[in-house]
Amino acid sequence: MNIILLGPPGAGKGTQARFLVEEHGMVQLSTGDMLRAAKESGTKMGDIVADVMARGALVTDDIVIGLIREQLNTVKANGFIFDGFPRTLAQADALTNLLAVEGEMLDAVIEMEVDDEALVARITARSTCGDCGEVYNDNTKPQPADGKCSNCGASDFRRRADDNEDSLRTRLMEYYKKTSPLIGYYYAKGMLTKINGLGEIDEVKAAIDKALS
Ligand code: AMP
């Protein structure tokens, strides 16, 4: 099964993708993670995207489509979870074509609905374990007092450079202008399921499992 988790920044796409990876052996393809890795590796592409990402704008379709193409060419999986991709209609069309080349198709699109106020609160309180990706929230799931990740024991907590109010405002604007049209696009294809992304993590997880079963 190949699915898209669609939703604004902070909707919980990464958190839920991790559950699907753990429980269903699917492979998460997060263009945000790929771009952050490129940024840290100091490649030419990393330098190009660093400034765009820091501002919260979208990097070009060509770059992210290229990243996804490379993954689909090389990784074999029991289903892909597209997290943060597609973000534009051009990316959505490209994904359909890339999957067709691999003899695959898209099975479902889960739209995670969360209101803006909750998004700002979530994102400005967010940190992750740099080692395993476990997500923490200063209010609802603080980093353990012993300074060690509860999942893997590492002590490398990170906050994203673009998790600040200025860049978040741009990221939200980009979402509404360029990504939210995908909701209508996939609805028209009969692929869209909306779920409430505001609940507890377990409730959201249950809603996604139900939508996929
Ligand atoms: P994310 O981790 O999904 O929130 O993405 C972080 C940043 O990476 C975004 O704010 C964009 O600058 C960039 N990015 C990630 N995925 C895409 C995409 N599919 N298209 C364009 N830019 C992207």
Side-chain angles (χ1 to χ4, degrees):
M1 201 178 211
N2 299 308
I3 67 163
I4 295 174
L5 293 181
L6 185 64
K13 303 184 294 291
T15 300
Q16 295 299 329
R18 284 165 55 79
F19 290 134
L20 293 168
V21 169
E22 279 162 22
E23 292 180 13
H24 301 284
M26 298 170 83
V27 168
Q28 175 189 11
L29 295 182
S30 156
T31 39
D33 286 349
M34 292 174 210
L35 291 165
R36 276 183 289 280
K39 214 174 69 172
E40 277 169 29
S41 69
T43 57
K44 193 166 161 240
M45 194 242 281
D47 292 343
I48 294 171
V49 300
D51 172 60
V52 180
M53 290 175 76
R55 281 188 287 115
L58 292 190
V59 308
T60 62
D61 288 338
D62 283 353
I63 289 180
V64 287
I65 290 167
L67 289 170
I68 291 289
R69 178 185 295 116
E70 198 179 308
Q71 294 293 312
L72 292 181
N73 276 341
T74 51
V75 180
K76 290 288 158 249
N78 180 28
F80 291 103
I81 308 151
F82 296 95
D83 161 10
F85 180 93
R87 262 175 156 100
T88 63
L89 289 167
Q91 292 178 23
D93 282 336
L95 178 59
T96 306
N97 295 334
L98 290 175
L99 285 170
V101 168
E102 301 298 323
E104 299 268 346
M105 59 185 283
L106 200 56
D107 297 286
V109 179
I110 309 279
E111 183 204 347
M112 301 174 68
E113 290 186 298
V114 182
D115 66 44
D116 289 356
E117 225 168 286
L119 293 175
V120 176
R122 272 188 191 180
I123 284 195
T124 49
R126 168 164 85 173
S127 62
T128 53
C129 170
D131 222 50
C132 72
E134 185 77 0
V135 182
Y136 294 89
N137 178 294
D138 297 341
N139 308 314
T140 56
K141 186 184 168 190
Q143 294 169 9
D146 65 1
K148 294 194 172 131
C149 172
S150 53
N151 187 48
C152 74
S155 309
D156 180 19
F157 297 106
R158 297 183 189 180
R159 288 186 196 267
R160 280 173 46 171
D162 58 350
D163 276 354
N164 60 73
E165 282 205 51
D166 270 356
S167 112
L168 178 57
R169 212 166 295 127
T170 309
R171 285 156 72 197
L172 277 175
M173 198 55 84
E174 292 284 67
Y175 179 78
Y176 290 119
K177 275 199 303 202
K178 298 176 185 166
T179 308
S180 66
L182 298 184
I183 296 168
Y185 175 94
Y186 286 118
Y187 174 78
K189 285 177 180 272
M191 290 182 147
L192 191 79
T193 306
K194 281 181 197 285
I195 60 138
N196 175 8
L198 259 186
E200 296 292 320
I201 288 180
D202 283 350
E203 290 166 3
V204 177
K205 177 176 177 294
I208 292 178
D209 282 343
K210 188 168 165 227
L212 296 180
S213 64

